[in-house]
Amino acid sequence: MKRSFRILLLLALMAVTAVQVQAQKKNSKIDVAEALKGYFKPVTTPSATPDAEGFIRRWMILEPISKPNPTNRVFTDSYTRENLSVEYFPDQLTVLPKDGDKVKVTMEYQPPVNLSSNRPAARPQQDQPKFVKATLTWHALDSDHFFVKLFRFATGLDKDRYGVIFWTVTVINCEEDIENVRLAVGSNKAARWWVNGEEVLLLAGDRHMGVDSAVSDRVTLKKGKNILRGVTMNGPGMSEFCARFIDDTGKPVTGYTITCN
Amino acid sequence: MKRIVFICILLLTGVSLHAQTGAPYIHDPSSIVKSDGKYFTFGTGGGGLISEDGWSWHSGAVRPGGGAAPDAIKIGDRYLIIYGTTGGGMGGGHASKIMTMWNKTLDPDSPDFAYSEPVMVCESLVDEDFNAIDPGVLLDPTTGRLWLTCGTYFGHIRQVELDPKTGFRVEGNEAIDVGRNMEASTMMYRDGWYYLLGTHGTCCDGVNSTYNIVVGRSRNVNGPFIDNVGRSMIQGGGKSVVTTEGRLVGPGHFGRYIEEEGVEKMSFHWEADMDQSGRSVLAIRPLLWKDGWPVAGEAFREGTYEIQSVRSGYALELEVDFIRAQGAMRGLGRGNEPQPNVVLEEQKLEDVAGTWPEGVIGARNGYYMGRPWQRWSVIPVPEAGGYLGGPYYKIVIAGTDRALAANDKAEVETVPAFTGAPEQLWRIDQLTDGTYRIMPKSIPGHDEPYALVSLGDCSPTLAPFDFKSDNSKWDFRCYSPVK
């Protein structure tokens, strides 16, 4: 190996390490409760219940994974399925994390957002994407609202806000089987959702969050723990979702408790 | 409320099935009544029609007594049949009697089929301003009292009260004059209003009959019944309910049939169906209510439509990728250079169909963009039978055989080819507010009579129909055809 190439490799590794360290430093300095004030509170109780309209407010949320998308036009069914089928971290479809758990990911680098511009900073087409390693943290949070404002989760924690992927998971605890319920999700933007490991919704398109925008086929919430998992991907705009279970007449189902794991 | 946009008329293909099938030949039909799982209507001269499904009709109903223009009503677990003993006295005397009789069943094949002895409840003398034929009855849902109207152009329409337990005239009841300038009267009640319906125009002249159905209303069961411009029915007024439609001539003899809340039908006859030798035939149409007035709905027309959810305005579509159409954005500082306007091509089926999976494709609702995956051809399937007022339809993506279907999870999807299976056949009922209910003929493994329902904006499913919810309602909208 030529000396000049070794030097280049060393510099590249140093750059990746610097980005990783910077990300971790940023995180460690943040008071989560203060940073997310107005949108979330850290979980302080053993369990929660859905709100009066059935919305699920308690979630484990992973810090966003960068996946630059300079436009929302790309979110077709195929694109959504393909890009939300990538393994971003081990056991992403089964993990039940605890607050503060860390996840190591390799993700596409994007430059810091330029808030003085009204256009996203697109990577020149001729350039190959650059990937960086990052360590991301799971946060156990109660939303202050019926919706989960992923965008403010990201900005509050000083993370990438546009072109990112959010993994979210929560546990629905039932005292007995609840049959023929449907997961009803409003989502900004594209998303996939699973109940007990079974995909129940794929939400494509340049969509915005409305209550009960998309409703799954009938599912059974079984006695005991049920795992509700969603992954949401945005482009150059807002990101948020709301989720609840409804019955065949559209009425909210509320007879369960919610825990983080 | 005409929800179907009729600029689509050029797009319509094939024969529109406007009239009932089978041998629906009848004059002056009674209200339709269901007995022993079958539908019955009785006509002038005795006898009447039977239908197993409400779409295909044939003769076979039995009514003794002859005469003209009977009516029928179910009260408790019995059926009361009312008829006039004569056919009216054109150019002669007008003596006639209105008779009532009971039966436990209307099915002549039933061992319980036996009419009671007819009793007279109203009569006209040979030379008075009244002609006791064409009876119609209303069982007032607010009081339980039974009212009968009858009469023709020869004098007044009269109202008398019957005893719903016996079918006899209430003792001491005095007849009231409630209308003129009409015949084939009947009454109905809805939301605090009593409606008196009648038929204007001339009957019994084939394609030259000018029959048409009119209505007035009152807050009082005894009237006065006022039309939409303030005329009393006893002054000869009447707001139009249905008139001649193209080759279907001379509607007369209104009857109301309530299937459930929001799903109502009106029966009548066309004096002449020009596609059936000008014969008088049974008609069944959706009964709509607009601003408190009854209006005849449209017979559903075969065509290619957007199927729009009333809940959200979203359109039923295939779960496939959105394929972008040609046509860059102009304005907002882009594409403003001086140049002649050009006509942009619409996206065509062949532009996108190759990207679709070959097997089952889900169905969902999305923003309507006029795209091939959102355009549905709704085509009657005559051999599949029907329901009260219509045939079953297949609903396929226009230009393909890909068909909307119910599956064994009581969800909705599309299958690559229409096979005629019952889960691929759809019943389409126009509702009283002008929107539509869409129901599969059957759902594999399920007995529930589910309808197509949008529980979510984007998520059609099969669930109980609820007229009070826009989730259960759809519109069929039609635009200019793709060139």
Side-chain angles (χ1 to χ4, degrees):
Chain A
M1 188 180 294
K2 290 185 177 178
R3 187 176 179 224
S4 57
F5 182 76
R6 270 186 280 176
I7 290 172
L8 280 174
L9 184 62
L10 182 62
L11 287 173
L13 284 172
M14 288 170 66
V16 167
T17 305
V19 170
Q20 192 172 349
V21 168
Q22 190 181 13
Q24 289 168 350
K25 276 184 178 175
K26 273 185 179 179
N27 211 25
S28 64
K29 289 178 182 173
I30 289 176
D31 176 344
V32 172
E34 185 61 27
L36 301 183
K37 192 173 181 181
Y39 295 95
F40 299 95
K41 292 183 179 63
V43 167
T44 57
T45 58
S47 70
T49 57
D51 69 17
E53 295 180 290
F55 290 103
I56 299 164
R57 297 188 176 202
R58 174 161 294 186
W59 294 92
M60 294 294 300
I61 309 176
L62 181 63
E63 292 170 353
I65 298 170
S66 171
K67 175 69 180 77
N69 276 314
T71 172
N72 293 318
R73 296 173 183 167
V74 299
F75 295 127
T76 62
D77 294 67
S78 300
Y79 180 91
T80 302
R81 181 173 297 284
E82 180 181 339
N83 284 278
L84 295 183
S85 297
V86 171
E87 183 180 276
Y88 291 98
F89 57 91
D91 303 324
Q92 63 187 18
L93 290 177
T94 56
V95 68
L96 269 182
K98 295 189 292 293
D99 185 44
D101 279 0
K102 308 292 185 187
V103 170
K104 290 184 178 179
V105 301
T106 299
M107 61 188 192
E108 190 174 339
Y109 170 76
Q110 56 181 310
V113 64
N114 177 7
L115 293 177
S116 64
S117 168
N118 62 1
R119 293 283 174 190
R123 172 171 50 80
Q125 287 189 346
Q126 67 274 17
D127 287 3
Q128 291 298 311
K130 296 173 184 173
F131 290 91
V132 295
K133 293 182 183 300
T135 299
L136 307 177
T137 304
W138 285 98
H139 296 268
L141 297 171
D142 285 327
S143 176
D144 290 340
H145 308 278
F146 76 89
F147 51 83
V148 176
K149 186 76 85 175
L150 297 168
F151 187 83
R152 290 303 168 200
F153 170 78
T155 60
L157 299 181
D158 197 19
K159 301 293 182 183
D160 291 329
R161 65 182 67 193
Y162 299 126
V164 289
I165 293 171
F166 297 93
W167 283 89
T168 52
V169 63
T170 195
V171 179
I172 307 296
N173 304 282
C174 300
E175 292 188 353
E176 56 188 12
D177 285 2
I178 308 177
E179 296 181 338
N180 294 325
V181 302
R182 299 167 184 270
L183 176 64
V185 173
S187 183
N188 186 348
K189 281 287 182 281
R192 292 177 76 189
W193 285 86
W194 297 263
V195 174
N196 293 328
E198 181 183 351
E199 181 180 312
V200 294
L201 283 173
L202 179 119
L203 309 178
D206 181 10
R207 61 190 311 130
H208 306 96
M209 189 192 77
V211 169
D212 301 344
S213 170
V215 174
S216 76
D217 290 358
R218 297 169 182 87
V219 298
T220 296
L221 292 175
K222 64 184 190 313
K223 180 180 179 179
K225 283 186 175 182
N226 298 269
I227 312 303
L228 172 59
R229 191 181 307 273
V231 56
T232 306
M233 173 167 54
N234 80 339
M238 181 52 70
S239 52
E240 57 188 338
F241 72 81
C242 59
R244 61 177 178 172
F245 288 99
I246 62 174
D247 65 17
D248 251 5
T249 66
K251 293 188 177 66
V253 174
T254 57
Y256 56 84
T257 61
I258 309 161
T259 54
C260 284
N261 49 48
Chain B
M1 189 182 298
K2 294 177 180 175
R3 290 282 181 151
I4 296 176
V5 182
F6 283 102
I7 58 174
C8 67
I9 198 76
L10 294 176
L11 189 62
L12 306 177
T13 57
V15 176
S16 295
L17 297 176
H18 291 173
Q20 307 301 296
T21 62
Y25 310 121
I26 194 167
H27 202 260
D28 308 332
S30 73
S31 301
I32 291 172
V33 182
K34 199 169 188 181
S35 171
D36 300 84
K38 303 170 188 172
Y39 297 96
F40 294 82
T41 180
F42 300 95
T44 285
L49 302 177
I50 302 176
S51 177
E52 301 279 348
D53 60 5
W55 173 238
S56 180
W57 293 80
H58 54 87
S59 62
V62 174
R63 177 185 68 82
D71 200 12
I73 185 172
K74 186 176 185 183
I75 301 176
D77 58 356
R78 296 184 298 166
Y79 300 87
L80 184 66
I81 308 297
I82 312 99
Y83 63 98
T85 55
T86 74
M90 296 292 288
H94 292 84
S96 186
K97 295 179 173 62
I98 300 294
M99 313 295 287
T100 66
M101 57 187 178
W102 295 96
N103 207 326
K104 288 182 180 176
T105 174
L106 298 180
D107 185 353
D109 294 332
S110 169
D112 294 328
F113 184 80
Y115 279 106
S116 64
E117 190 65 27
V119 298
M120 187 191 75
V121 295
C122 183
E123 70 175 326
S124 55
L125 304 178
V126 69
D127 193 20
E128 64 172 323
D129 293 346
F130 176 50
N131 191 181
I133 67 167
D134 286 9
V137 290
L138 167 70
L139 186 64
D140 185 342
T142 68
T143 63
R145 295 168 74 176
L146 182 62
W147 300 94
L148 177 146
T149 59
C150 58
T152 69
Y153 296 109
F154 196 81
H156 293 110
I157 301 298
R158 285 192 172 154
Q159 183 190 65
V160 301
E161 184 175 7
L162 307 184
D163 183 339
K165 292 187 176 65
T166 64
F168 294 0
R169 179 89 167 259
V170 168
E171 190 172 342
N173 170 253
E174 295 288 338
I176 301 170
D177 291 339
V178 292
R180 71 151 53 83
N181 181 33
M182 63 180 186
E183 54 194 29
S185 67
T186 193
M187 293 178 65
M188 58 182 174
Y189 173 86
R190 183 177 186 269
D191 287 349
W193 288 99
Y194 295 91
Y195 295 84
L196 175 64
L197 296 108
T199 302
H200 279 180
T202 301
C203 90
C204 314
D205 195 13
V207 298
N208 298 300
S209 300
T210 57
Y211 248 18
N212 62 97
I213 295 174
V214 298
V215 66
R217 68 181 184 180
S218 172
R219 291 292 188 185
N220 189 312
V221 70
N222 304 125
F225 299 93
I226 309 298
D227 71 8
N228 56 322
V229 294
R231 291 177 302 176
S232 168
M233 298 291 272
I234 207 161
Q235 294 173 316
K239 180 183 184 299
S240 178
V241 177
V242 60
T243 61
T244 291
E245 294 180 359
R247 297 172 62 79
L248 296 165
V249 178
H253 284 258
F254 176 95
R256 182 192 193 190
Y257 188 96
I258 301 174
E259 293 211 40
E260 62 179 287
E261 183 184 7
V263 188
E264 299 188 21
K265 310 289 182 183
M266 54 181 281
S267 63
F268 55 95
H269 72 216
W270 297 110
E271 285 278 329
D273 180 349
M274 295 175 69
D275 292 325
Q276 298 194 68
S277 308
R279 297 179 73 171
S280 178
V281 298
L282 177 66
I284 300 171
R285 284 291 174 83
L287 176 57
L288 280 49
W289 290 92
K290 186 176 182 181
D291 300 328
W293 291 98
V295 179
E298 302 289 340
F300 191 84
R301 293 171 184 263
E302 174 183 349
T304 295
Y305 297 97
E306 171 201 356
I307 302 177
Q308 186 185 73
S309 165
V310 175
R311 170 195 169 102
S312 59
Y314 291 6
L316 188 68
E317 65 177 24
L318 299 181
E319 278 184 7
V320 294
D321 281 353
F322 180 91
I323 306 295
R324 297 174 62 76
Q326 293 183 346
M329 181 180 178
R330 301 177 67 84
L332 288 178
R334 284 179 275 180
N336 282 335
E337 302 80 14
Q339 56 181 275
N341 274 334
V342 296
V343 175
L344 300 180
E345 289 287 313
E346 291 185 35
Q347 197 172 58
K348 298 181 179 65
L349 178 66
E350 56 267 30
D351 297 334
V352 299
T355 69
W356 297 349
E358 292 183 352
V360 168
I361 300 176
R364 69 180 170 205
N365 300 333
Y367 295 131
Y368 186 67
M369 299 291 290
R371 300 303 170 82
W373 58 86
Q374 300 176 314
R375 290 198 295 262
W376 301 90
S377 291
V378 184
I379 302 166
V381 184
E383 65 273 20
Y387 45 90
L388 192 61
Y392 282 107
Y393 294 86
K394 64 177 179 180
I395 301 176
V396 297
I397 288 291
T400 79
D401 203 25
R402 177 168 289 282
L404 193 69
N407 66 22
D408 59 6
K409 294 178 180 173
E411 302 292 347
V412 64
E413 62 188 19
T414 68
V415 294
F418 176 75
T419 65
E423 64 269 21
Q424 298 173 16
L425 296 167
W426 297 86
R427 167 181 181 156
I428 299 173
D429 291 287
Q430 194 173 23
L431 305 174
T432 52
D433 63 2
T435 63
Y436 289 84
R437 179 180 70 177
I438 305 172
M439 296 179 74
K441 184 176 184 181
S442 72
I443 303 172
H446 295 262
D447 297 326
E448 303 90 341
Y450 284 165
L452 191 65
V453 170
S454 294
L455 275 185
D457 296 335
C458 305
S459 309
T461 184
L462 299 172
F465 171 75
D466 177 5
F467 178 71
K468 292 186 176 68
S469 170
D470 282 350
N471 290 356
S472 295
K473 300 175 184 178
W474 301 82
D475 278 329
F476 289 85
R477 301 167 65 89
C478 186
Y479 306 96
S480 57
V482 176
K483 299 180 178 109

